[in-house]
Amino acid sequence: MKPPRTFYDRPTLDVARDLLGLVLVHNRRGVRTSGVIVEVEAYIGESDPACHAAPGPTQRNQPLYGRPGHAYVYLNYGIHCLVNVVTEAHGSPAAVLIRALDPLDGIAVMRRRRARAMKGRIARSTAAALPTHEICRGPGNLTMAMGITLAENRLDLLGSRLYVEDRGLAVGPIAWGPRIGIRVGTENPWRAWVEGHPAVSRIKN
């Protein structure tokens, strides 16, 4: 069952928490891949220096200002596409970045996609043998594995191509802490994850 629009039309931190344990699904060229959401980060408004809305409305960040329950996909540093879920009311820019998944459907396809993206025979063979929990660890890896590209930007998550699904799965305790991979706004404890899950990002000390 897909959450209704009202699920996303709420405070972003509430949506971030409630996304954990739901399933992200992508249908691409007749192939379905999916994974349980186990790590997310919230980005909230023009006052959040790490949010793409910080400079105000632009052509790139327009989806953040749009209706909740849509995808905001962007290219990070010209390398990886990252997928976000737009939250809060129309005109209030905010989103939740999906950081890690526990793969469910299409695991073999996800491994092949990760391997194809690797350069060199050794790297490709290493990717092809990845443990399941490492396939979708990290926001760039998960979009690569699931075949999510800029073509999915602005898609309605209540549609049939890219969506979130509630399969009634139980997850463990949820933890909160600082966002990672950013240089500003690191004081906000707006990253949430399933505590102890092996797919969650490893923090380097």
Side-chain angles (χ1 to χ4, degrees), residues 7 31 35 41 45 76 130 149 151 167 171 196 199:
F7 173 86
V31 176
E41 279 179 341
N76 191 46
L130 279 174
T149 69
R167 299 187 185 178
V171 295

Side-chain angles (χ1 to χ4, degrees), residues 41-43 47-51 177-180 182-191:
E41 279 179 341
Y43 291 86
S47 62
D48 175 4
C51 182
R179 297 175 295 186
I180 57 179
I182 56 176
R183 296 191 178 99
V184 293
T186 55
E187 69 280 2
N188 295 320
W190 290 351
R191 182 172 67 97

